[in-house]
Amino acid sequence: MLENARKILKKYYGYENFRKGQEEIISSILNKKDTFAIMPTGAGKSICFQIPALLLEGLTIVISPLISLMKDQVDALDSIGIKATYVNSSLDAREVQERIDQAKNGEYKLLYVAPERLQSWEFCALLKTITISLVAVDEAHCVSQWGHDFRPSYRAITELINQLPNRPIVGAFTATATEQVKEDVVKLLSLKNENVYVTGFDRENLTFSVMRGMNKKDFIMNYIQDNKEEVGIIYASTRKEVESIYESLHRKGYAVGKYHAGLNPTERKESQEAFLYDDLKIIVATNAFGMGIDKSNVRYVIHYNIPKNMEAYYQEAGRAGRDGEPSECILLFAAQDILMQKFLMSQTYLSPEREKNEYKKLQLMVDYCHTTKCLRKYILEYFGEEKVVDTCGNCSTCNDDSELEDITIDAQKIFSCIYRMKERFGTSLVAQVLKGSKNKKVLQFGFNTLSTYGIMKEYTEKELKDRMNILIAEGYLGLTEGQYPIVKLQKKAGAVLKSQEKVLQKVQKKREKVVKDHTLFEILRVLRKDISTREKVPPYIIFADSTLREMGEYCPIDQESILRIKGVGEEKLRKYGDEFLRVIRAYVEENGIIGKEIKEEKEEKIPSHMITFNMYKEGKSLEEIAKEREVKILTINNHIIRCASEGLEVDLYDFIPKHYENIILEKIDEIGAEKLKPIKESLPEEVSYLAIQAVLCKYKIMG
Ligand code: ADP
Ligand code: ZN
C-alpha cells in the first residue's frame, strides 16, 4: 500500500522521499483509522490527505476555511495532473450542481468545501448521494474556541458525517497543538479510536531572531536594502503602521504592497494576487493577511510589532520558507507594543476566563522577546516538545557574536535627567532636554536650568529616543499606559545611578552575505514568470523556488536528469520540461559548464554514472551508451569523467588525442580552468570538450 503512495509522491509531486510523519499519517488513513495530524505550517500536511484521496475509492471531501486557499490548492493539484474541484460561495447554484454531478461520476478525487456550506441542508443532501471515503478537515483548530481562528461553522462537520449513509474516515489537520485545542478537535469532530500524530514542530530552515529596542524603521530599510531580490512579508499590528511602513518603502521605489482590513475587497485582492504572482516582492500587512497564503518562496517574515501570542507568531512566521529553503523570521520588539496588544485585547469582548488566558499567553510572547535561551528551544518547548537540545545554532541567541558596548555613562545621564524632570514626561521631551533644545515647552517648564540640560548635545533627538527605547526594552525604564506614555525609572535603573551596575548594550556585527552564482536561477525565474503570465497561475504553482535553485545548481540537460530534480513530476515534465531544458541547455553550452550529477537521495538506487560505467566496461562506446540510455552525450561524458575522478578504472587516453595533450595543457595554463568554452575556442575544431575535461581530470586541475 505504501509502495503505491511512494509512487504517487514521485510521479505527481516529483519528490523522492516522504518528510517526517507523512508516511505514518498516510498509512493510518489508508488503514481506515480516524487520524489527527499536528504538524507545523509548511511541513507538508496537504500531501497527507491528497495521496490517500487518490488511493481510496470514491471521493475525498476537504473542509477548508478560506476561498483563496481552496482555489490555490485546486490549481496546484491541477498543475500536477490530479483531478480536484471546489464548491464555495463564488459559484451559483447551477455550477454547484454541475460539480456535484461530475463528482458523482467519479471525475474528481477531491472536492474542497467551505464549512459554511455544510450548514445548508440542500447541500448535505447532495453529498449524501456520493460515495465519500474520507473527510479531511484542514485547519482543524478552527473548530475550537480556544484556537486563534474559531469558526462556528466547523461545528457542522460532525453533523454531516453523522448523516452520511456510510461513515467516512475522518482526518483532522492543524498546526496548533495546545492541549485545549487538541481535546476540542477530538471531541467536537467526534474522532473515533483516532491515531494522533504530532510531528516535531521544528522548522529547521528558519532562522529566528529577536531585535530589542532598536529603531525599527531603520532596521527595515537596511534589511530590505540588503535583501532587494527576496520576497518577504512585514507584519504590523495596526493599519496606521502598515500605511506608514508601506509609504517609506514605496517612496524608495521598492515593489511593495499593503494589506489590511481598511482596504476595500478589490484592493485587498489585487495586493494579494500581485504578491502571489511575484509582481510585488514585499507585502506590508496586518494579521488579516496570510491565512491561505501558500506561497512557497517567502524568504523572510519580519514582525514590526509583537503578535498576541506564540501560536499566532509561529503561524505567521511559519509562512517563510515553505519550500524548505533557508529563510528568516525576525521579530522587532519594543515595550510600547505590549500596551498596543493589551489595548487590542480590551477591544474584543472575551469572557473573564478567556481574557485571563489571553493575557497569560501575551506574557509568554513577551518572555520570548527577552529570553536568553535558544529561541528555537523556547518555541519548541512552548509547543510542548520535550528533550529539546539547548542550542540550535540557527537563532539570534545561538548566533550571537555581537560585542558588548558599555553605555553606563549615557544611561546615567538619561536616568538622572528623567529623575530631575520628576518622571512626568514622555521620551520626546526628555530627549529635547538632553539635547539642549530651546523648544517652548522646555523653556516653559524651566528645564533649561537643569544640570542635565544639553549634556548629550552630540546626539540627535532621534538617537536619544532610540537609546531610551533600548533602555525600555531591557527593563531599566518603564512606560505608563495611555495615549501619551510617561517614562519612569525602574528598580534596575537605581543600581546604575548608584554606579553599582553597568549597562551593556549589544552591538550587532553586520552579517556577511554569502555570494553565490544565481545567474541560471535568475534566468529560470524569468522563464517561470513568462509561463505564469501565459497560463494565469502564480509562478510558485509552476515550480517552487527550491526546484529552480536545484536546476540552477545541477544544470540537468535531459529528461532523465530533470526528473530527478525535487518538485519535477511527470505532469510538470510533460507541461514545462522542454521549455526549461531548452533554456538550461543553452546556458550550459554558452558557458561550457560541466553538468553536475544530481545527488541520489535513495541509497539503494544505483547512481546513474555507475550504470554508465558498467556499460563502458562492457566495451560500449560513449555514443552507444548515450543512445541506449536515451540521454545526451554530454551527460555520458560527464559520467565517465566523474568515474575517472572517483578513481574508477577509466583510460582517459581513450578520449585525449595524444598529440594534443600538451597543447591543451598549455591553453589551460594560459586561460585558466574556470570555464571550458574559452579553452575550447582557442583550440582546433577537432579537439572535443571531452578531451579537455579528460586532461583536466588527468592532471587533477579543478574547474
Ligand atoms: P502545510 O499545509 O503543512 O503548511 P503544505 O502541504 O503546503 O504545508 O506543504 C508545504 C510545502 O512542502 C509544499 O511546497 C509541498 O509541496 C512541500 N512538500 C510536502 N511534502 C514534501 C516532501 N515529501 N518532499 C518535498 N517537499 C514536500
Ligand atoms: Zn538557537
Side-chain angles (χ1 to χ4, degrees):
M1 216 156 35
L2 265 178
E3 204 36 53
N4 291 336
R6 202 175 275 286
K7 277 194 194 132
I8 291 174
L9 185 70
K10 175 74 193 150
K11 178 175 153 99
Y12 290 97
Y13 297 87
Y15 300 140
E16 208 70 47
N17 296 306
F18 282 112
R19 288 201 186 140
K20 212 157 105 193
Q22 287 179 327
E23 209 161 351
E24 291 83 352
I25 293 163
I26 290 171
S27 88
S28 161
I29 295 176
L30 292 177
N31 284 321
K32 308 225 169 351
K33 295 275 283 184
D34 281 1
T35 304
F36 183 10
I38 304 165
M39 298 163 97
T41 311
K45 284 186 279 296
S46 326
I47 278 182
C48 298
F49 55 81
Q50 289 168 355
I51 291 185
L54 294 181
L55 289 170
L56 292 166
E57 264 172 50
L59 183 73
T60 290
I61 302 276
V62 184
I63 315 288
S64 175
L66 274 186
I67 296 183
S68 61
L69 187 83
M70 263 178 224
K71 184 163 174 337
D72 214 57
Q73 288 227 355
V74 169
D75 283 349
L77 286 168
D78 192 49
S79 82
I80 58 173
I82 295 176
K83 295 267 177 247
T85 190
Y86 59 83
V87 168
N88 61 32
S89 56
S90 71
L91 307 175
D92 62 35
R94 195 183 44 83
E95 288 169 308
V96 172
Q97 180 70 51
E98 219 168 79
R99 292 189 183 192
I100 294 287
D101 287 342
Q102 287 165 337
K104 215 184 297 183
N105 293 337
E107 284 177 46
Y108 302 115
K109 289 306 289 180
L110 295 111
L111 173 67
Y112 283 73
V113 177
E116 287 74 19
R117 280 275 139 182
L118 306 179
Q119 291 169 323
S120 143
W121 177 85
E122 284 108 328
F123 184 72
C124 290
L126 281 178
L127 288 183
K128 276 191 246 172
T129 64
I130 312 176
T131 319
I132 296 168
S133 47
L134 168 64
V135 172
V137 185
D138 204 2
E139 314 288 353
H141 60 274
C142 292
V143 79
S144 166
Q145 63 152 333
W146 299 107
H148 39 95
D149 312 296
F150 176 45
R151 298 274 289 246
S153 53
Y154 261 62
R155 302 270 166 98
I157 298 172
T158 318
E159 258 168 73
L160 166 75
I161 292 169
N162 291 339
Q163 283 174 36
L164 293 173
N166 294 306
R167 187 181 184 280
I169 312 160
V170 183
F173 301 83
T174 178
T176 306
T178 56
E179 277 312 314
Q180 287 164 319
V181 171
K182 275 200 267 188
E183 278 169 26
D184 269 6
V185 168
V186 172
K187 198 172 77 201
L188 298 169
L189 293 178
S190 309
L191 301 183
K192 298 225 158 65
N193 303 321
E194 72 285 349
N195 284 329
V196 180
Y197 296 92
V198 185
T199 66
F201 256 66
D202 192 14
R203 298 275 310 280
E204 282 169 22
N205 61 318
L206 302 183
T207 308
F208 291 95
S209 313
V210 172
M211 310 276 179
R212 278 196 303 265
M214 65 188 354
N215 185 297
K216 301 185 193 186
K217 261 292 176 41
D218 291 355
F219 177 86
I220 299 257
M221 297 320 273
N222 288 332
Y223 186 87
I224 306 275
Q225 169 78 30
D226 287 349
N227 294 279
K228 278 202 253 327
E229 296 306 317
E230 308 295 358
V231 169
I233 305 175
I234 301 170
Y235 279 111
S237 54
T238 62
R239 294 175 198 181
K240 208 170 121 206
E241 259 168 331
V242 167
E243 290 288 346
S244 136
I245 302 165
Y246 167 82
E247 273 310 317
S248 313
L249 290 168
H250 187 67
R251 235 178 290 128
K252 287 247 171 180
Y254 293 114
V256 57
K258 58 183 171 181
Y259 191 104
H260 57 68
L263 302 171
N264 68 45
T266 325
E267 288 171 309
R268 265 184 284 164
K269 187 154 183 274
E270 274 168 14
S271 291
Q272 176 159 333
E273 295 266 298
F275 183 63
L276 293 182
Y277 278 79
D278 284 354
D279 291 330
L280 294 177
K281 294 244 172 199
I282 313 160
I283 192 127
V284 189
T286 58
N287 63 4
F289 177 78
M291 245 276 240
I293 297 296
D294 253 349
K295 191 175 167 64
S296 66
N297 64 336
V298 176
R299 289 283 74 88
Y300 61 86
V301 172
I302 300 178
H303 277 78
Y304 197 76
N305 309 102
I306 52 164
K308 61 179 175 184
N309 55 41
M310 289 296 291
E311 283 87 350
Y313 180 63
Y314 204 49
Q315 189 180 48
E316 286 160 14
R319 299 200 168 110
R322 279 174 171 244
D323 53 10
E325 296 275 295
S327 309
E328 288 202 83
C329 308
I330 303 170
L331 197 156
L332 306 178
F333 174 80
Q336 294 85 320
D337 297 341
I338 306 173
L339 303 179
M340 175 51 82
Q341 277 304 343
K342 286 187 179 160
F343 171 76
L344 291 174
M345 245 177 241
S346 70
Q347 297 299 97
T348 17
Y349 173 75
L350 296 171
S351 64
E353 189 192 1
R354 273 196 72 191
E355 185 163 317
K356 213 171 115 209
N357 193 43
E358 294 295 311
Y359 275 102
K360 204 172 86 196
K361 285 184 169 185
L362 175 61
Q363 187 53 48
L364 290 168
M365 182 74 239
V366 174
D367 291 349
Y368 172 77
C369 300
H370 285 289
T371 184
T372 51
K373 259 207 315 218
C374 164
L375 295 179
R376 191 178 308 272
K377 187 177 168 74
Y378 186 96
I379 294 171
L380 296 180
E381 287 181 344
Y382 180 88
F383 288 110
E385 276 188 31
E386 287 163 13
K387 301 199 188 100
V388 183
V389 291
D390 286 339
T391 52
C392 73
N394 193 15
C395 74
S396 57
T397 308
C398 294
N399 293 343
D400 188 7
D401 59 353
S402 58
E403 281 152 15
L404 292 175
E405 186 193 353
D406 189 335
I407 57 162
T408 312
I409 308 240
D410 278 355
Q412 285 169 334
K413 288 180 185 166
I414 293 170
F415 298 159
S416 75
C417 189
I418 293 170
Y419 178 75
R420 277 163 227 275
M421 289 167 73
K422 309 226 160 30
E423 302 181 67
R424 280 174 46 211
F425 301 91
T427 51
S428 295
L429 200 66
V430 176
Q432 284 166 6
V433 174
L434 287 163
K435 173 77 192 167
S437 152
K438 298 203 171 56
N439 181 305
K440 209 167 103 210
K441 209 166 166 193
V442 173
L443 303 179
Q444 183 190 330
F445 283 103
F447 290 147
N448 53 333
T449 62
L450 295 180
S451 59
T452 51
Y453 180 73
I455 51 167
M456 294 182 87
K457 284 201 205 36
E458 66 277 26
Y459 295 99
T460 64
E461 278 175 36
K462 174 169 169 293
E463 282 167 341
L464 289 168
K465 283 211 289 195
D466 286 351
R467 287 245 143 157
M468 275 184 262
N469 280 328
I470 291 171
L471 295 167
I472 293 167
E474 300 303 332
Y476 293 96
L477 297 174
L479 283 179
T480 57
E481 297 189 21
Q483 204 177 355
Y484 301 103
I486 294 168
V487 253
K488 301 262 183 196
L489 297 172
Q490 303 294 304
K491 237 209 207 121
K492 267 174 95 175
V496 177
L497 275 173
K498 287 184 225 138
S499 294
Q500 290 163 340
E501 257 174 53
K502 283 194 165 141
V503 183
L504 300 173
Q505 187 207 331
K506 282 183 184 169
V507 194
Q508 228 82 35
K509 279 191 201 154
K510 212 166 157 55
R511 270 178 275 175
E512 302 266 323
K513 277 201 80 169
V514 189
V515 186
K516 274 206 217 134
D517 184 10
H518 289 315
T519 328
L520 180 54
F521 173 71
E522 294 302 338
I523 296 172
L524 295 175
R525 196 135 86 154
V526 172
L527 171 62
R528 179 178 68 176
K529 180 73 196 154
D530 290 346
I531 299 177
S532 144
T533 313
R534 185 180 77 208
E535 302 200 338
K536 299 191 179 58
V537 289
Y540 64 91
I541 290 210
I542 296 165
F543 281 128
D545 270 18
S546 51
T547 304
L548 298 193
R549 225 179 280 282
E550 272 202 2
M551 288 184 190
E553 187 177 342
Y554 294 111
C555 306
I557 48 171
D558 51 39
Q559 300 214 341
E560 189 213 334
S561 46
I562 204 169
L563 255 184
R564 277 211 300 275
I565 299 284
K566 199 165 74 196
V568 185
E570 286 177 13
E571 181 69 10
K572 295 260 168 102
L573 175 71
R574 189 182 67 73
K575 275 202 205 141
Y576 311 120
D578 286 344
E579 265 174 292
F580 278 84
L581 282 172
R582 209 175 307 132
V583 170
I584 298 170
R585 275 185 212 133
Y587 181 82
V588 165
E589 274 158 34
E590 179 97 351
N591 293 287
I593 286 171
I594 310 171
K596 277 156 260 172
E597 196 55 38
I598 297 161
K599 276 197 313 283
E600 295 288 341
E601 285 195 28
K602 271 201 271 169
E603 280 163 11
E604 62 273 19
K605 242 189 173 172
I606 303 173
S608 191
H609 71 290
M610 289 306 298
I611 300 176
T612 297
F613 180 70
N614 291 334
M615 293 168 83
Y616 165 81
K617 279 273 122 186
E618 287 166 18
K620 291 184 176 139
S621 77
L622 301 192
E623 284 75 17
E624 282 166 350
I625 300 173
K627 209 157 164 209
E628 204 170 307
R629 299 195 62 191
E630 294 178 344
V631 298
K632 290 247 148 189
I633 182 75
L634 229 57
T635 308
I636 301 297
N637 290 351
N638 290 335
H639 284 170
I640 212 73
I641 294 295
R642 175 162 168 204
C643 293
S645 68
E646 286 178 0
L648 294 167
E649 210 179 309
V650 174
D651 187 358
L652 288 170
Y653 281 114
D654 284 354
F655 316 117
I656 309 172
K658 262 269 158 49
H659 52 288
Y660 277 126
E661 186 173 354
N662 284 329
I663 305 174
I664 296 174
L665 265 177
E666 272 166 31
K667 288 291 171 197
I668 294 172
D669 259 355
E670 197 181 306
I671 302 170
E674 277 79 54
K675 285 187 176 167
L676 291 180
K677 199 178 181 198
I679 309 175
K680 167 94 170 98
E681 278 171 355
S682 70
L683 288 161
E685 268 290 312
E686 66 262 33
V687 182
S688 65
Y689 272 114
L690 181 60
I692 304 169
Q693 285 174 274
V695 169
L696 287 172
C697 178
K698 177 156 189 290
Y699 291 93
K700 299 203 166 45
I701 305 168
M702 291 301 163

